[in-house]
Amino acid sequence: DGQLVLCDFDTIDATNLGRQILYGPDDVGKPKAEVAAGKLAAINPDIDIRAVTHRLDDAGLAEAVAKADVVLDGSDNFSTRFQVNDACVAAETCLITGAAIRLEGQVTEFGPDYTTSTCYRCLYREADESLENCAGNGVLSPVPGAIGALMAVDALKFLAGIKSRRGVLRLFDAVSGEFRAVAVTKRANCPACG
C-alpha cells in the first residue's frame, strides 16, 4: 500500500481558483495541502494521504524524497525546482516536473538512474531563474490542468512499470493543441547528475 504526500506551504488565494480546481471560494485563506488532502480523501476515503503545510528545509526535503517512489513537482519557481531535482538525484528517485505559462505547458520525466538519465539541471541552469513565471504573465486556466493530468499519467506509468520516454521535454501549445518533443541532452558538467 502506498501513501500520497502533498507538500505545499502556501495558502489558497482567490486568484488560484480558476486553475486549481480542487479549491472553491470557501477555501480562500486555508492551507493548500490540507484542503487538497481533505478533498481527495472525500473522493476516495481509502486513500492514505498526508499533508505537509510547511516549507521543507534541505534535510526535510531529502528525507521526504528518499521515502518516495516518484516525485511530482509543479512548483512555480526555479529555486524550488532545482532543490527538488537535487534531492531526487541524490536519492535516485524518479522526478516528473511540469510547468505552465500563458498558453503553453511542459512536462518532463527524469531518473531514477541518474548515471544515464538527464536531470532538471541538464535542461535549465541557475541563470534561467530570471525567466518568466505564471504570476507575472498569467496562464490560460485549463493549461495547468492538462499538464497536471499528463504528470499523473507519467507517475502511474512509472509506478506500474510501464516504460516511458525519460529525458524528453514535451511542450504543449494550447493554441494549436499540439505537442512537440525535444530530447534533453545530459550535461557532462551538470552540477547535480554529471
Side-chain angles (χ1 to χ4, degrees), residues 103-115:
L103 300 166
E104 304 164 354
Q106 64 182 40
V107 179
T108 316
E109 182 178 343
F110 302 107
D113 179 4
Y114 292 94
T115 59

Side-chain angles (χ1 to χ4, degrees), residues 18-65:
R19 67 184 183 278
Q20 298 176 12
I21 61 171
L22 276 180
Y23 309 130
D26 292 343
D27 299 320
V28 172
K30 297 176 183 174
K32 284 184 177 181
E34 280 183 7
V35 172
K39 294 200 177 182
L40 293 174
I43 293 169
N44 180 356
D46 296 326
I47 195 169
D48 182 6
I49 189 166
R50 185 169 66 95
V52 176
T53 59
H54 61 278
R55 183 188 295 264
L56 293 174
D57 60 15
D58 289 338
L61 179 62
E63 181 182 348
V65 167

